[in-house]
């Protein structure tokens, strides 16, 4: 109640501001959301490419293209999740927070 308008409880602005530890885990909400995105890419790829393979199997009278389509979808989904930087390696140490690269839609200089 005794705070002025516009005042905050933040530090003195020393420039050494770190993200606060999150009770939900090392990556906070981002780890869960990234996991769902990876899962969606892989399962979506399997479903879409299996359906394409099924259609080609019916058209060509074969039985193996649906399996090749499912495998292609799984590999493609993992590749997309890797390209979107959703997979992480543990080489940065247990206490460090990884930097997440920004994609072209987020305004990166690439």
């Amino acid at each position: 109640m005794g705070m002025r308008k516009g005042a905050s409880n933040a530090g003195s602005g020393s420039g050494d501001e770190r993200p606060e530890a999150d009770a939900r885990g090392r990556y906070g909400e981002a780890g869960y959301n990234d996991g769902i995105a990876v899962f969606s890419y892989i399962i979506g790829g399997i479903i879409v490419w299996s359906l394409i393979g099924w259609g080609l199997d019916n058209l060509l009278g074969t039985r193996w293209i649906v399996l090749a389509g499912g495998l292609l979808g799984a590999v493609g989904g993992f590749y997309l999740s890797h390209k979107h930087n959703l997979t992480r390696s543990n080489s940065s140490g247990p206490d460090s927070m990884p930097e997440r690269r920004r994609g072209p839609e987020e305004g990166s200089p690439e």
Side-chain angles (χ1 to χ4, degrees):
M1 191 188 321
M3 294 180 71
R4 296 177 309 188
K5 187 176 183 181
S8 68
N9 288 341
S12 60
S14 64
D16 189 27
E17 297 178 15
R18 290 180 157 188
E20 293 183 16
D22 194 340
R24 291 173 290 207
R26 181 170 158 188
Y27 300 113
E29 192 72 22
Y32 177 77
N33 291 337
D34 288 350
I36 293 295
V38 170
F39 180 76
S40 299
Y41 282 143
I42 294 173
I43 297 300
I46 291 171
I47 290 171
V48 168
W49 285 102
S50 292
L51 286 174
I52 291 171
W54 177 74
L56 288 173
D57 276 341
N58 285 334
L59 187 67
L60 301 173
T62 60
R63 292 186 181 183
W64 60 271
I65 300 176
V66 67
L67 297 174
L71 182 62
L72 179 69
V75 170
F78 184 76
Y79 174 76
L80 278 178
S81 64
H82 183 71
K83 286 301 277 186
H84 289 189
N85 203 27
L86 297 175
T87 56
R88 296 185 175 106
S89 67
N90 291 333
S91 63
S92 59
D95 292 331
S96 65
M97 299 218 22
E99 266 189 51
R100 194 165 171 203
R101 289 185 355 187
R102 296 187 327 198
E105 65 276 354
E106 297 177 18
S108 71
E110 293 181 75

